[in-house]
Amino acid sequence: MDTIASLFSFITTPVSWVIVQFHSVYGAIFGPDTGWAWGLSIVSLVILIRICLIPLFVKQIKATRAMQTLQPEMKKIQERYKNDKQRQSEEMMKLYKETGTNPLSSCLPILAQSPFFFALYHVLNSIANNDTIGVINQSLLESAQKAHIFGAPLAAKFTDSSADVAALEASLTTVRIVTAVMIVLMSASQFYTQRQLMTKNVDTTVKTPFMQQQKMLMYVFPIMFAVFGINFPVGVLVYWLTTNVWTMGQQMYVIHNNPTPGSKAQAAYLERLTKHVTHHSKTRGRGERAIVKAIVAKGRDRNEHERKFINALSKAGLAAQADGTVVKSEGAVATVAEDGTPTTATGVPRRQQPKRQSKAQRQSGGPKQAGEPTSLEKSDEPEDAKPGAAKKAAPKPGSGGRSKAQSGQRKGGPQRPKSPSKK
């Protein structure tokens, strides 16, 4: 670790200068030789670095989502060229170039933060060895050696001997308890951050090797932190615990306000957005408009959560626009009136479809209207009072023979006996 830290010695002077500037502020409040002054100086260094790395964090989010989108295509390339590794790599690079995706973008925050981490390790190691470094002179060195965080010196390690700890005016038991608790908190925060990403902010509809890798890293990273943590000084543990807490809070904010499409976090976000939009009939802020705009642009490619969101707006008489805004919908939306009659959003009664007739109704010519006599019922009206009775009473000339022929009688002659039916 000392050899790696010495490679970043060129940045130790800026890091030590930032720590000294924060120490001058906190020292005036808590005292220059206290652990609060030096510990808060390290925490402030972390916050300053992470604020500067926010643009890289945004790129990391975009790169991670782009990689999740490309996983099905990458899997097809791997299966198609599974026997030709060179062609497989060429096709992968071609896919990255066409989509503008860089796999290393997801590692940018960690890579950019590594020099500051090792520079801080080099500064604290020099303090433990009673060596001045950067802008930390002899008086600041003695002040840092006196600083204790919960009874553990700033430069003490879990693996230090009792003689080394005694030289820093501390107890070995106290140092190991404090460092062990900080290592556990550091590993637990790393595990929770990764688990939160896997359980809430991953599209569960697509099963890809990328998800398996992330799941493996969820268990590997905490173990790595626990193994290497015993060799970190207390000040470095403060640094790494602070950056883990910052990452966890930053990720919670992103998951809550800009979740990955198709994830559980998106379902919860769209549910909250639906309640707000239907209540106020508008979107608020640039972030909400950007998400609604992206959903509208997908068209038929929307996932289940996005389709539910659009349908909920339609039922409320609203329509999402291409620019991310929401307006009153002019189309008819089915609702139910107080009397149970289906109506549209404008209050016009909705046209009802005729009920499907049964087989018996179709054979009998359809259902009878109320009050209409059936064929089995006798009418009480006289024959003369019925409509068309006059026409029936006065048949036209020449119609008598025809009516007899229709009734089975022969014209002018004896009737032909009916032949028995053939069985």
Side-chain angles (χ1 to χ4, degrees):
M1 184 66 70
D2 295 338
T3 304
I4 299 175
S6 62
L7 297 175
F8 297 93
S9 58
F10 65 93
I11 203 174
T12 54
T13 300
V15 169
S16 62
W17 182 84
V18 172
I19 293 177
V20 169
Q21 298 306 312
F22 282 120
H23 176 262
S24 62
V25 175
Y26 294 119
I29 301 173
F30 301 101
D33 299 338
T34 61
W36 285 103
W38 287 99
L40 290 176
S41 299
I42 296 173
V43 171
S44 301
L45 172 67
V46 174
I47 295 174
L48 179 63
I49 293 173
R50 295 308 301 265
I51 290 175
C52 296
L53 294 180
I54 286 178
L56 294 181
F57 181 75
V58 174
K59 289 185 178 181
Q60 179 190 20
I61 295 174
K62 293 181 179 180
T64 302
R65 293 185 179 178
M67 290 296 294
Q68 291 176 352
T69 306
L70 293 179
Q71 286 303 311
E73 299 296 330
M74 295 171 60
K75 190 175 181 180
K76 291 179 181 179
I77 294 175
Q78 292 174 355
E79 293 177 352
R80 185 180 303 174
Y81 305 105
K82 59 183 178 180
N83 296 326
D84 190 351
K85 298 298 181 181
Q86 182 177 358
R87 181 66 183 277
Q88 185 181 120
S89 301
E90 294 176 355
E91 293 295 328
M92 288 289 188
M93 296 302 297
K94 183 179 178 181
L95 180 64
Y96 294 149
K97 186 177 181 180
E98 291 176 353
T99 57
T101 305
N102 186 3
L104 296 178
S105 298
S106 58
C107 303
L108 285 177
I110 297 178
L111 295 177
Q113 193 177 350
S114 298
F116 300 97
F117 170 77
F118 287 111
L120 179 62
Y121 178 89
H122 192 46
V123 170
L124 295 175
N125 194 47
S126 298
I127 293 174
N129 295 328
N130 201 20
D131 295 331
T132 58
I133 184 172
V135 298
I136 298 179
N137 52 27
Q138 188 63 33
S139 61
L140 291 173
L141 177 64
E142 294 176 357
S143 175
Q145 289 178 343
K146 295 177 182 178
H148 289 67
I149 298 177
F150 301 110
L154 197 69
K157 306 176 186 177
F158 184 88
T159 55
D160 284 347
S161 62
S162 57
D164 296 333
V165 174
L168 297 173
E169 300 179 357
S171 169
L172 180 62
T173 304
T174 304
V175 170
R176 291 190 173 179
I177 291 175
V178 171
T179 53
V181 171
M182 296 183 70
I183 290 171
V184 170
L185 293 176
M186 184 176 62
S187 301
S189 59
Q190 179 67 34
F191 176 79
Y192 179 79
T193 302
Q194 194 69 20
R195 189 176 185 276
Q196 186 183 37
L197 178 66
M198 290 297 302
T199 57
K200 293 184 178 181
N201 206 36
V202 173
D203 186 0
T204 56
T205 59
V206 181
K207 304 295 183 181
T208 60
F210 179 77
M211 295 178 60
Q212 299 297 329
Q213 295 175 3
Q214 293 294 320
K215 189 176 181 179
M216 181 181 65
L217 293 176
M218 180 173 65
Y219 296 97
V220 171
F221 275 164
I223 295 175
M224 291 177 58
F225 278 110
V227 172
F228 292 112
I230 60 176
N231 295 313
F232 291 163
V234 173
V236 175
L237 293 178
V238 171
Y239 174 94
W240 206 252
L241 178 60
T242 306
T243 193
N244 280 357
V245 173
W246 177 281
T247 302
M248 182 173 61
Q250 190 172 249
Q251 184 171 272
M252 290 175 65
Y253 176 82
V254 172
I255 291 175
H256 187 270
N257 295 282
N258 192 15
T260 301
S263 62
K264 294 181 180 179
Q266 189 196 31
Y269 175 81
L270 291 180
E271 185 177 354
R272 297 192 304 268
L273 183 60
T274 302
K275 293 180 180 179
H276 168 76
V277 172
T278 54
H279 181 71
H280 298 281
S281 300
K282 64 179 181 179
T283 54
R284 57 182 178 183
R286 186 181 301 176
E288 289 186 357
R289 288 195 295 269
I291 290 179
V292 174
K293 181 180 179 180
I295 293 175
V296 173
K298 286 184 178 181
R300 295 183 177 181
D301 296 332
R302 301 186 187 108
N303 56 48
E304 180 183 359
H305 310 313
E306 295 165 347
R307 287 194 296 268
K308 287 182 179 180
F309 172 72
I310 296 297
N311 292 337
L313 293 183
S314 299
K315 291 180 180 179
L318 302 172
Q321 303 300 305
D323 59 351
T325 59
V326 175
V327 298
K328 292 287 185 180
S329 177
E330 297 180 356
V333 182
T335 58
V336 179
E338 294 180 358
D339 58 352
T341 305
T343 62
T344 60
T346 57
V348 181
R350 186 182 178 186
R351 182 180 177 183
Q352 296 185 3
Q353 296 293 334
K355 295 182 179 180
R356 184 178 180 182
Q357 298 179 357
S358 63
K359 184 177 180 181
Q361 290 175 342
R362 291 196 299 269
Q363 290 178 353
S364 62
K368 299 295 181 180
Q369 299 294 331
E372 181 180 351
T374 61
S375 59
L376 298 179
E377 296 177 351
K378 293 182 179 180
S379 176
D380 297 335
E381 297 181 1
E383 293 291 337
D384 296 339
K386 293 182 180 180
K391 295 181 180 180
K392 292 182 181 179
K396 293 181 180 180
S399 62
R402 184 178 179 183
S403 60
K404 291 181 180 180
Q406 289 178 353
S407 61
Q409 297 180 357
R410 296 183 64 187
K411 294 182 181 180
Q415 298 293 331
R416 180 187 299 176
K418 295 181 179 180
S419 61
S421 60
K422 297 180 181 182
K423 295 183 180 180

